Amino acid sequence: MIMLPIEKVHLEIPHRGAPEMFRAAVDLDVLRSYENIQLDAEPDLIVELIDLYLEDAHRRLAVMKESLVKRNWLSLKREAHSLRGSSGNLGALQMALICDEMEGLESRDPFPSIEALLGCLEQELEQVLNIFLAERQRRLQ
Amino acid sequence: MSCQASQCTKRILIADDDPVMRHLLTSIVRKEGYDTVVVDDGREAYRILQSDADFRAGIFDMVMPHLEGLDIIRYMRTEKRLQRIPVMMISAERDLQLMAKSFVAGATVFLTKPFKTEQFQTTLRILLANKTATRRVPQ
């Protein structure tokens, strides 16, 4: 049995209190690091990852909204958990951070706070969408 | 040169319900020169393992629908034909207790998300170099 050291990897999330201008929605270096595993004669991996992520993130957001309406905290947290994993691995750092906060929610937390957090997530996804689509276009040119 | 079946095969079973992570893991594993059998939930992984033990390793996400990664490992460790297959558990959880649970269940290595490609590659090489999946920790 081998125990690997636990360490904070490249999810270096800027401090929540940092000015808006210093908070990057996406660390493109993380995304572009996957150029190293691009296989020959295969479609652009990063474009594929972007497409999969955007489709999945929007689907999960829709499920989270529905879960909020139904007060289904377990479902809400499960979706946030999954979205945190893929967001972190694609460099969508703020998305990962918001998902992390959502995972820590309790059913006794005030409803407006949870709703506001979900609103933040939706806004952040829009920013990520714009950056990812620009990167996608650049790669396909 | 002869080798055990588990050491000869180049197939790796990957189970993750997240399409992004599934594609990423598959790409890295293929880049490392291995073939992949990919499923999107624990139940499907279980179904395959019931009739197919020809895997060099397994890579499972901890949280999946129907059957979680821990459940698959527990099953594998009760089946003699599957016991030799080393398993990498992946999770976005940073909870030490969950990590400990994975090792108790029989995971060989554990990797937390997010990870860098190099971290995954190193972990994979450690996993594949592990000759006995159920080796005990020295007392």
Side-chain angles (χ1 to χ4, degrees):
Chain A
M1 189 185 294
I2 298 159
M3 183 78 156
L4 294 180
I6 310 160
E7 56 176 320
K8 269 203 158 182
V9 289
H10 57 275
L11 184 59
E12 294 295 335
I13 301 169
H15 191 271
R16 285 292 272 170
E20 199 66 38
M21 60 186 291
F22 295 123
R23 285 197 229 146
V26 177
D27 181 349
L28 283 173
D29 287 343
V30 174
L31 193 63
R32 289 172 186 161
S33 72
Y34 298 128
E35 286 171 355
N36 295 332
I37 52 166
Q38 173 69 45
L39 293 162
D40 295 337
E42 296 253 339
D44 188 297
L45 173 64
I46 293 173
V47 168
E48 288 185 317
L49 289 172
I50 287 172
D51 290 346
L52 284 169
Y53 177 81
L54 292 178
E55 186 185 345
D56 186 62
H58 280 104
R59 188 187 61 77
R60 288 193 194 279
L61 186 68
V63 174
M64 287 161 93
K65 282 180 177 175
E66 197 183 325
S67 302
L68 183 68
V69 171
K70 293 179 178 171
R71 306 287 204 270
N72 185 343
W73 310 119
L74 193 65
S75 167
L76 191 72
K77 290 166 87 156
R78 194 170 50 225
E79 296 302 325
H81 174 85
S82 294
L83 194 51
R84 174 162 68 86
S86 55
S87 297
N89 260 97
L90 292 201
L93 309 182
Q94 292 298 321
M95 283 287 290
L97 187 70
I98 298 168
C99 287
D100 193 34
E101 286 196 27
M102 295 201 82
E103 273 190 87
L105 289 174
E106 300 291 341
S107 56
R108 62 175 177 273
D109 286 332
F111 183 82
S113 309
I114 301 170
E115 202 173 23
L117 205 51
L118 199 55
C120 286
L121 191 69
E122 189 167 16
Q123 279 180 19
E124 190 62 31
L125 182 56
E126 280 307 303
Q127 288 201 49
V128 171
L129 174 85
N130 292 333
I131 295 169
F132 275 179
L133 288 182
E135 178 67 10
R136 188 184 191 284
Q137 193 172 8
R138 188 188 73 80
R139 302 190 71 82
L140 292 176
Q141 276 171 358
Chain B
M1 196 169 83
S2 66
C3 58
Q4 286 188 328
S6 64
Q7 302 294 319
C8 288
T9 184
K10 298 200 81 165
R11 296 166 81 222
I12 293 181
L13 178 62
I14 297 173
D16 197 317
D17 63 316
D18 186 313
V20 179
M21 296 309 298
R22 213 162 48 230
H23 195 54
L24 187 56
L25 295 173
T26 303
S27 301
I28 304 175
V29 169
R30 287 181 62 206
K31 187 72 177 179
E32 289 289 297
Y34 292 89
D35 301 324
T36 54
V37 175
V38 187
V39 296
D40 59 8
D41 70 47
R43 191 162 55 191
E44 184 63 9
Y46 173 74
R47 193 190 63 74
I48 287 174
L49 287 166
Q50 280 182 308
S51 58
D52 188 353
D54 184 29
F55 292 106
R56 181 72 184 80
I59 299 172
F60 307 139
D61 186 30
M62 182 172 264
V63 181
M64 287 188 286
H66 311 304
L67 264 184
E68 300 206 333
L70 275 179
D71 300 317
I72 306 171
I73 296 180
R74 287 187 186 118
Y75 165 68
M76 290 174 75
R77 297 305 174 235
T78 60
E79 289 281 316
K80 194 174 179 185
R81 64 195 172 81
L82 300 173
Q83 281 174 356
R84 58 176 171 70
I85 302 174
V87 173
M88 181 195 302
M89 183 70 95
I90 295 180
S91 177
E93 290 291 341
R94 293 180 290 267
D95 185 344
L96 278 174
Q97 282 193 335
L98 279 178
M99 201 178 287
K101 266 189 185 177
S102 298
F103 288 127
V104 169
T108 315
V109 292
F110 191 101
L111 186 65
T112 52
K113 290 187 260 186
F115 50 78
K116 289 180 182 172
T117 305
E118 302 78 43
Q119 286 174 312
F120 181 84
Q121 287 168 326
T122 302
T123 311
L124 182 65
R125 286 167 198 160
I126 292 169
L127 180 75
L128 297 176
N130 196 49
K131 290 194 171 61
T132 312
T134 52
R135 189 169 63 200
R136 292 184 178 189
V137 182
Q139 297 296 311

